[in-house]
């Protein structure tokens, strides 16, 4: 999951698209804390960019000092969320290719036929891919199809035709913004409507005409005074040239209208409206329906036993207050949130997540001491955070802790851009509710039902028979999934984690705090098992690896050292101010 933006001003002189994109990025920071970037286009078709790892305040400096290096009347922005691939600086977006026509590209989503696309680009399109990002794959598929025009200059019909061919090749969920040098901006969305994208307009402040902005969430447009906000529909694309009205086109027939329901559960801001559904109101209904389930699951004695309902801030605040209202119980903010700590379930490593929970949340003893509490959270993913929270509640004096989740049991991997966890790491993948409760230390765990979750959102939809992408809860995804994809995903996750685990093990050995497993990893290295788990390599495998390297070096006498894996890589496409902090 990422955040994307695009902006074009009606007046090309004396305006700064970058300053507005920079302001808007902060309203989407929750969508991506791993990296961010902005690319703009000025007169003469010159493209400028600033991007890098870190949050917006780091990449653009706290005072926005780097924004002045980004002239131009149009631009696109991106915030990256950690996914199964690498997190190298080189994968910060927007991406850029100079041929054809100079294209900048920002992508939110995930392609589930990446290996097939790589093969096409290598053997047929002859385009080089420099990162592990499927966003770069999609950009190059689009560029390859657009290059088929053979024209010196393209028009909107050429672009729509290239997008049609790209849609025929790509499988997955996406929302994208793009910019063609000197031409205009583009926005498009997958034919299932999985990932969100909205567009709005406002009168230009610098002369006649209209300015246009696209974003993942409506709140970014609201804050920049854009009105007439509408959703780009599933399978639809829009092109906006300087001083012209948007041109909409149905690139691919709408297959379904099934937005990812996790946007409403957790990811989106409450003041956002996605596909006509208010996130705030959907969470209110989740709370009321969850309370009804709690009444069914707990005995009268257990219900009477609950003294107070306490939310896990902040996403669950709305739902928890509605749970308390329906149960006729007091509602209390028992945890104080540190707003300067990242989201915990996306952090690499269980120990990192456990430590981060305590940095992120602090229980107020006065709210827990001697109380039987019902904690309400938006979801339970690995159970690491939930277990630590229950422990903190007990340490603060809670006598009994009940735990309720606004989302159903998460049992399967997310494949459209939210890297929750591998299936084997999901606490509900192989446990029932009683064993989950025992694992996290709660008296009981109560989950929202899938039907109630869908109803909480669908009841607010302007469409009848509203569908949602709910594969994480049931394993049934809205798009076809190729055989072997999940095994591939586990291996990718494992390979990504392996280098970090080896490095951490070596640090632990140096510090004298290594466990037996860390000692084995530091000595013999690590390997990725078939299910994606990182385990210590056996001494025989480590020896075989050394012999193999020696044999390889003996065959290549001109090379003195084996190739080292770099700790980070910079983007090579453009001079990037973000690379030089």
């Amino acid at each position: 999951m990422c955040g994307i933006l695009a902006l074009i001003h009606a007046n090309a002189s004396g305006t700064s698209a970058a300053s507005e994109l920079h302001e808007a990025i902060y309203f989407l920071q929750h969508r991506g804390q791993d990296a961010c970037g902005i690319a703009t286009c000025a007169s003469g078709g010159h493209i400028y960019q600033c991007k890098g790892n870190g949050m917006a305040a780091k990449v653009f400096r706290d005072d926005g000092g780097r924004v002045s290096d980004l002239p131009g009347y149009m631009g696109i922005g991106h915030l990256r969320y950690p996914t199964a691939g690498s997190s190298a600086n080189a994968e910060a977006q927007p991406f850029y290719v100079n041929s054809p026509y100079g294209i900048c590209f920002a992508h939110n989503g995930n392609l589930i036929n990446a290996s097939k696309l790589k093969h096409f680009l290598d053997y047929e399109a002859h385009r080089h891919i420099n990162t592990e990002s499927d966003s770069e794959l999609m950009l190059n598929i689009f560029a390859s199809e657009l290059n088929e025009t053979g024209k010196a200059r393209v028009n909107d019909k050429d672009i729509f035709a290239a997008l049609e061919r790209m849609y025929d090749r790509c499988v997955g969920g996406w929302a994208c913004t793009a910019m063609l040098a000197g031409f205009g901006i583009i926005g498009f969305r997958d034919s299932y409507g999985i990932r969100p994208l909205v567009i709005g307009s406002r009168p230009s402040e610098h002369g006649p005409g209209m300015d246009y902005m696209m974003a993942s969430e409506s709140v970014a447009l609201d804050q920049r005074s854009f009105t007439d906000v509408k959703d780009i529909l599933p399978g639809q694309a829009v092109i906006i040239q300087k001083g012209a009205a948007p041109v909409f086109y149905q690139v691919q027939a709408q297959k379904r209208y099934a937005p990812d329901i996790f946007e409403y559960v957790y990811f989106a801001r409450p003041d956002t409206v996605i596909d006509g559904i208010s996130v705030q109101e959907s969470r209110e209904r989740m709370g009321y329906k969850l309370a009804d389930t709690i009444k069914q699951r707990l005995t009268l004695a257990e219900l009477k036993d609950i003294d107070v309902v306490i939310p896990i801030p902040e996403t669950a605040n709305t739902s928890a207050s509605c749970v308390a209202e329906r149960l006729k119980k007091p509602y209390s903010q028992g945890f104080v949130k540190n707003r300067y700590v990242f989201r915990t379930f996306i952090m690499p490593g269980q120990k990192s997540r456990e430590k981060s929970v305590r940095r992120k949340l602090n229980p107020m003893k006065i709210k827990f001491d001697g109380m039987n509490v019902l904690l309400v959270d938006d979801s339970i993913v690995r159970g690491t955070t939930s277990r630590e929270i229950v422990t903190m509640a007990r340490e603060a004096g809670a006598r009994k802790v009940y735990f309720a989740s606004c989302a159903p049991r998460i049992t399967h991997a997310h494949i459209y851009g939210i890297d929750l966890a591998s299936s084997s790491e999901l606490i509900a993948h192989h446990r029932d509710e009683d064993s989950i409760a025992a694992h996290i230390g709660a008296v009981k765990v109560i989950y929202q039902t899938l039907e109630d979750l869908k109803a909480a959102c669908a009841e607010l939809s302007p469409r009848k028979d509203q569908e949602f992408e709910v594969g994480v809860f049931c394993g049934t995804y809205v798009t076809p999934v190729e055989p072997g994809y999940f095994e591939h995903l586990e291996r990718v996750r494992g390979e990504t984690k392996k280098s970090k685990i080896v490095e951490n093990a070596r640090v632990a050995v140096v510090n004298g705090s290594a466990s037996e497993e860390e000692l084995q990893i530091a000595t013999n290295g690590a390997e990725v098992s078939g299910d994606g788990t990182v385990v210590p390599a056996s001494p025989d495998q480590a020896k075989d690896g050394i012999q193999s390297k020696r044999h390889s070096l003996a065959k290549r006498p001109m090379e003195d050292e084996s190739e080292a894996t770099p700790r980070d890589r910079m983007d090579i496409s453009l001079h990037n101010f973000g690379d030089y902090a």
Side-chain angles (χ1 to χ4, degrees), residues 60 88 133 154 172 174-175 228 246 364 382 388 400 414 418 467 485 565 576:
F60 300 105
S133 172
V154 289
W174 62 78
D228 192 25
M364 290 185 281
R382 294 178 176 90
E388 198 69 18
K400 294 181 183 177
H414 196 290
I418 305 179
E467 296 181 277
Y485 175 74
T565 302
N576 182 23

PDB file of all heavy atoms in Angstrom, residues 60 88 133 154 172 174-175 228 246 364 382 388 400 414 418 467 485 565 576:
ATOM      1  N   PHE A  60      12.465  15.937   2.250  1.00  0.00           N
ATOM      2  CA  PHE A  60      12.362  17.312   1.739  1.00  0.00           C
ATOM      3  C   PHE A  60      12.883  18.352   2.725  1.00  0.00           C
ATOM      4  O   PHE A  60      12.743  19.550   2.496  1.00  0.00           O
ATOM      5  CB  PHE A  60      10.908  17.623   1.374  1.00  0.00           C
ATOM      6  CG  PHE A  60      10.367  16.708   0.317  1.00  0.00           C
ATOM      7  CD1 PHE A  60       9.479  15.693   0.649  1.00  0.00           C
ATOM      8  CD2 PHE A  60      10.757  16.838  -0.998  1.00  0.00           C
ATOM      9  CE1 PHE A  60       8.982  14.831  -0.317  1.00  0.00           C
ATOM     10  CE2 PHE A  60      10.264  15.986  -1.975  1.00  0.00           C
ATOM     11  CZ  PHE A  60       9.375  14.974  -1.635  1.00  0.00           C
ATOM     12  N   ALA A  88      15.520  -0.631  -0.875  1.00  0.00           N
ATOM     13  CA  ALA A  88      16.665   0.187  -1.241  1.00  0.00           C
ATOM     14  C   ALA A  88      16.214   1.575  -1.679  1.00  0.00           C
ATOM     15  O   ALA A  88      15.091   1.771  -2.141  1.00  0.00           O
ATOM     16  CB  ALA A  88      17.448  -0.481  -2.369  1.00  0.00           C
ATOM     17  N   SER A 133      11.330  -3.930  -7.886  1.00  0.00           N
ATOM     18  CA  SER A 133      10.006  -3.325  -7.732  1.00  0.00           C
ATOM     19  C   SER A 133       9.111  -3.637  -8.925  1.00  0.00           C
ATOM     20  O   SER A 133       9.498  -3.431 -10.079  1.00  0.00           O
ATOM     21  CB  SER A 133      10.146  -1.804  -7.589  1.00  0.00           C
ATOM     22  OG  SER A 133       8.885  -1.186  -7.633  1.00  0.00           O
ATOM     23  N   VAL A 154       2.928  12.056 -29.251  1.00  0.00           N
ATOM     24  CA  VAL A 154       1.727  11.242 -29.080  1.00  0.00           C
ATOM     25  C   VAL A 154       0.537  12.104 -28.677  1.00  0.00           C
ATOM     26  O   VAL A 154       0.701  13.235 -28.220  1.00  0.00           O
ATOM     27  CB  VAL A 154       1.936  10.148 -28.016  1.00  0.00           C
ATOM     28  CG1 VAL A 154       2.881   9.082 -28.522  1.00  0.00           C
ATOM     29  CG2 VAL A 154       2.440  10.743 -26.715  1.00  0.00           C
ATOM     30  N   GLY A 172      -3.295  -7.940 -11.296  1.00  0.00           N
ATOM     31  CA  GLY A 172      -3.112  -7.494  -9.914  1.00  0.00           C
ATOM     32  C   GLY A 172      -4.054  -6.367  -9.582  1.00  0.00           C
ATOM     33  O   GLY A 172      -5.113  -6.207 -10.196  1.00  0.00           O
ATOM     34  N   TRP A 174      -4.051  -2.094  -8.801  1.00  0.00           N
ATOM     35  CA  TRP A 174      -3.213  -0.899  -8.879  1.00  0.00           C
ATOM     36  C   TRP A 174      -4.025   0.371  -9.058  1.00  0.00           C
ATOM     37  O   TRP A 174      -5.148   0.362  -9.575  1.00  0.00           O
ATOM     38  CB  TRP A 174      -2.217  -1.008 -10.045  1.00  0.00           C
ATOM     39  CG  TRP A 174      -2.860  -1.118 -11.405  1.00  0.00           C
ATOM     40  CD1 TRP A 174      -3.405  -0.113 -12.166  1.00  0.00           C
ATOM     41  CD2 TRP A 174      -3.047  -2.312 -12.179  1.00  0.00           C
ATOM     42  NE1 TRP A 174      -3.903  -0.594 -13.354  1.00  0.00           N
ATOM     43  CE2 TRP A 174      -3.689  -1.947 -13.382  1.00  0.00           C
ATOM     44  CE3 TRP A 174      -2.722  -3.653 -11.968  1.00  0.00           C
ATOM     45  CZ2 TRP A 174      -4.019  -2.878 -14.376  1.00  0.00           C
ATOM     46  CZ3 TRP A 174      -3.054  -4.574 -12.955  1.00  0.00           C
ATOM     47  CH2 TRP A 174      -3.688  -4.188 -14.129  1.00  0.00           C
ATOM     48  N   ALA A 175      -3.445   1.438  -8.599  1.00  0.00           N
ATOM     49  CA  ALA A 175      -3.842   2.794  -8.977  1.00  0.00           C
ATOM     50  C   ALA A 175      -2.537   3.524  -9.247  1.00  0.00           C
ATOM     51  O   ALA A 175      -1.583   3.398  -8.477  1.00  0.00           O
ATOM     52  CB  ALA A 175      -4.628   3.476  -7.867  1.00  0.00           C
ATOM     53  N   ASP A 228     -15.523  19.161  -6.484  1.00  0.00           N
ATOM     54  CA  ASP A 228     -16.029  18.262  -7.521  1.00  0.00           C
ATOM     55  C   ASP A 228     -15.210  16.972  -7.528  1.00  0.00           C
ATOM     56  O   ASP A 228     -14.798  16.467  -8.579  1.00  0.00           O
ATOM     57  CB  ASP A 228     -15.980  18.936  -8.899  1.00  0.00           C
ATOM     58  CG  ASP A 228     -16.770  18.145  -9.952  1.00  0.00           C
ATOM     59  OD1 ASP A 228     -17.700  17.412  -9.561  1.00  0.00           O
ATOM     60  OD2 ASP A 228     -16.432  18.264 -11.156  1.00  0.00           O
ATOM     61  N   PRO A 246     -10.086  17.384 -18.368  1.00  0.00           N
ATOM     62  CA  PRO A 246      -9.728  15.962 -18.315  1.00  0.00           C
ATOM     63  C   PRO A 246     -10.444  15.169 -19.411  1.00  0.00           C
ATOM     64  O   PRO A 246     -11.602  15.439 -19.747  1.00  0.00           O
ATOM     65  CB  PRO A 246     -10.204  15.517 -16.932  1.00  0.00           C
ATOM     66  CG  PRO A 246     -10.350  16.769 -16.135  1.00  0.00           C
ATOM     67  CD  PRO A 246     -10.708  17.835 -17.110  1.00  0.00           C
ATOM     68  N   MET A 364      -2.211   4.311  30.895  1.00  0.00           N
ATOM     69  CA  MET A 364      -2.400   5.146  32.082  1.00  0.00           C
ATOM     70  C   MET A 364      -2.928   4.257  33.211  1.00  0.00           C
ATOM     71  O   MET A 364      -4.040   3.730  33.118  1.00  0.00           O
ATOM     72  CB  MET A 364      -3.381   6.278  31.776  1.00  0.00           C
ATOM     73  CG  MET A 364      -2.827   7.322  30.835  1.00  0.00           C
ATOM     74  SD  MET A 364      -3.944   8.722  30.609  1.00  0.00           S
ATOM     75  CE  MET A 364      -5.111   8.028  29.431  1.00  0.00           C
ATOM     76  N   ARG A 382      -0.128 -10.482  13.333  1.00  0.00           N
ATOM     77  CA  ARG A 382       0.744 -11.547  13.845  1.00  0.00           C
ATOM     78  C   ARG A 382       0.412 -11.910  15.290  1.00  0.00           C
ATOM     79  O   ARG A 382       0.762 -12.985  15.756  1.00  0.00           O
ATOM     80  CB  ARG A 382       2.208 -11.103  13.776  1.00  0.00           C
ATOM     81  CG  ARG A 382       2.749 -10.921  12.369  1.00  0.00           C
ATOM     82  CD  ARG A 382       4.188 -10.440  12.454  1.00  0.00           C
ATOM     83  NE  ARG A 382       4.837 -10.322  11.159  1.00  0.00           N
ATOM     84  CZ  ARG A 382       4.818  -9.209  10.418  1.00  0.00           C
ATOM     85  NH1 ARG A 382       4.161  -8.140  10.852  1.00  0.00           N
ATOM     86  NH2 ARG A 382       5.432  -9.171   9.249  1.00  0.00           N
ATOM     87  N   GLU A 388       1.617  -7.885  23.390  1.00  0.00           N
ATOM     88  CA  GLU A 388       2.347  -6.883  24.162  1.00  0.00           C
ATOM     89  C   GLU A 388       1.374  -5.899  24.815  1.00  0.00           C
ATOM     90  O   GLU A 388       1.573  -5.469  25.949  1.00  0.00           O
ATOM     91  CB  GLU A 388       3.327  -6.149  23.248  1.00  0.00           C
ATOM     92  CG  GLU A 388       4.427  -5.405  23.973  1.00  0.00           C
ATOM     93  CD  GLU A 388       5.428  -6.314  24.651  1.00  0.00           C
ATOM     94  OE1 GLU A 388       5.490  -7.524  24.305  1.00  0.00           O
ATOM     95  OE2 GLU A 388       6.146  -5.830  25.554  1.00  0.00           O
ATOM     96  N   LYS A 400      -8.763  -8.452  34.483  1.00  0.00           N
ATOM     97  CA  LYS A 400      -9.071  -9.311  33.333  1.00  0.00           C
ATOM     98  C   LYS A 400      -9.016  -8.466  32.065  1.00  0.00           C
ATOM     99  O   LYS A 400      -9.376  -7.291  32.081  1.00  0.00           O
ATOM    100  CB  LYS A 400     -10.467  -9.932  33.465  1.00  0.00           C
ATOM    101  CG  LYS A 400     -10.638 -10.910  34.609  1.00  0.00           C
ATOM    102  CD  LYS A 400     -12.052 -11.468  34.607  1.00  0.00           C
ATOM    103  CE  LYS A 400     -12.286 -12.406  35.785  1.00  0.00           C
ATOM    104  NZ  LYS A 400     -13.699 -12.898  35.811  1.00  0.00           N
ATOM    105  N   HIS A 414      -1.913 -10.860   2.047  1.00  0.00           N
ATOM    106  CA  HIS A 414      -2.456  -9.787   1.216  1.00  0.00           C
ATOM    107  C   HIS A 414      -1.590  -9.686  -0.030  1.00  0.00           C
ATOM    108  O   HIS A 414      -0.368  -9.594   0.070  1.00  0.00           O
ATOM    109  CB  HIS A 414      -2.448  -8.466   1.985  1.00  0.00           C
ATOM    110  CG  HIS A 414      -3.310  -7.409   1.365  1.00  0.00           C
ATOM    111  ND1 HIS A 414      -2.977  -6.799   0.174  1.00  0.00           N
ATOM    112  CD2 HIS A 414      -4.496  -6.866   1.747  1.00  0.00           C
ATOM    113  CE1 HIS A 414      -3.913  -5.918  -0.137  1.00  0.00           C
ATOM    114  NE2 HIS A 414      -4.844  -5.947   0.797  1.00  0.00           N
ATOM    115  N   ILE A 418      -0.423  -4.529   0.421  1.00  0.00           N
ATOM    116  CA  ILE A 418      -0.239  -4.352   1.863  1.00  0.00           C
ATOM    117  C   ILE A 418       0.522  -5.571   2.372  1.00  0.00           C
ATOM    118  O   ILE A 418       0.002  -6.673   2.370  1.00  0.00           O
ATOM    119  CB  ILE A 418      -1.573  -4.228   2.624  1.00  0.00           C
ATOM    120  CG1 ILE A 418      -2.427  -3.114   2.063  1.00  0.00           C
ATOM    121  CG2 ILE A 418      -1.323  -3.973   4.103  1.00  0.00           C
ATOM    122  CD1 ILE A 418      -3.769  -2.961   2.752  1.00  0.00           C
ATOM    123  N   GLU A 467     -19.437  -5.016  -3.670  1.00  0.00           N
ATOM    124  CA  GLU A 467     -18.483  -6.072  -3.357  1.00  0.00           C
ATOM    125  C   GLU A 467     -17.208  -5.456  -2.785  1.00  0.00           C
ATOM    126  O   GLU A 467     -16.966  -4.254  -2.932  1.00  0.00           O
ATOM    127  CB  GLU A 467     -18.129  -6.876  -4.615  1.00  0.00           C
ATOM    128  CG  GLU A 467     -19.283  -7.637  -5.216  1.00  0.00           C
ATOM    129  CD  GLU A 467     -18.823  -8.426  -6.436  1.00  0.00           C
ATOM    130  OE1 GLU A 467     -18.744  -7.849  -7.535  1.00  0.00           O
ATOM    131  OE2 GLU A 467     -18.527  -9.627  -6.273  1.00  0.00           O
ATOM    132  N   TYR A 485       2.272 -18.733  -7.003  1.00  0.00           N
ATOM    133  CA  TYR A 485       2.526 -17.341  -6.644  1.00  0.00           C
ATOM    134  C   TYR A 485       2.805 -17.180  -5.155  1.00  0.00           C
ATOM    135  O   TYR A 485       3.710 -16.438  -4.760  1.00  0.00           O
ATOM    136  CB  TYR A 485       1.347 -16.441  -7.036  1.00  0.00           C
ATOM    137  CG  TYR A 485       1.541 -15.016  -6.553  1.00  0.00           C
ATOM    138  CD1 TYR A 485       2.441 -14.166  -7.180  1.00  0.00           C
ATOM    139  CD2 TYR A 485       0.851 -14.533  -5.443  1.00  0.00           C
ATOM    140  CE1 TYR A 485       2.657 -12.884  -6.728  1.00  0.00           C
ATOM    141  CE2 TYR A 485       1.053 -13.239  -4.985  1.00  0.00           C
ATOM    142  CZ  TYR A 485       1.950 -12.420  -5.631  1.00  0.00           C
ATOM    143  OH  TYR A 485       2.164 -11.142  -5.179  1.00  0.00           O
ATOM    144  N   THR A 565      27.382  -7.719  -1.775  1.00  0.00           N
ATOM    145  CA  THR A 565      26.034  -7.163  -1.872  1.00  0.00           C
ATOM    146  C   THR A 565      26.017  -5.774  -1.274  1.00  0.00           C
ATOM    147  O   THR A 565      26.387  -5.598  -0.111  1.00  0.00           O
ATOM    148  CB  THR A 565      25.038  -8.049  -1.110  1.00  0.00           C
ATOM    149  OG1 THR A 565      25.083  -9.364  -1.646  1.00  0.00           O
ATOM    150  CG2 THR A 565      23.626  -7.480  -1.231  1.00  0.00           C
ATOM    151  N   ASN A 576      19.329  13.118  -8.500  1.00  0.00           N
ATOM    152  CA  ASN A 576      18.322  13.076  -7.441  1.00  0.00           C
ATOM    153  C   ASN A 576      18.821  13.827  -6.214  1.00  0.00           C
ATOM    154  O   ASN A 576      19.742  13.384  -5.541  1.00  0.00           O
ATOM    155  CB  ASN A 576      18.026  11.612  -7.092  1.00  0.00           C
ATOM    156  CG  ASN A 576      16.963  11.490  -6.029  1.00  0.00           C
ATOM    157  OD1 ASN A 576      16.163  12.406  -5.848  1.00  0.00           O
ATOM    158  ND2 ASN A 576      16.953  10.380  -5.335  1.00  0.00           N
TER     159      ASN A 576
END
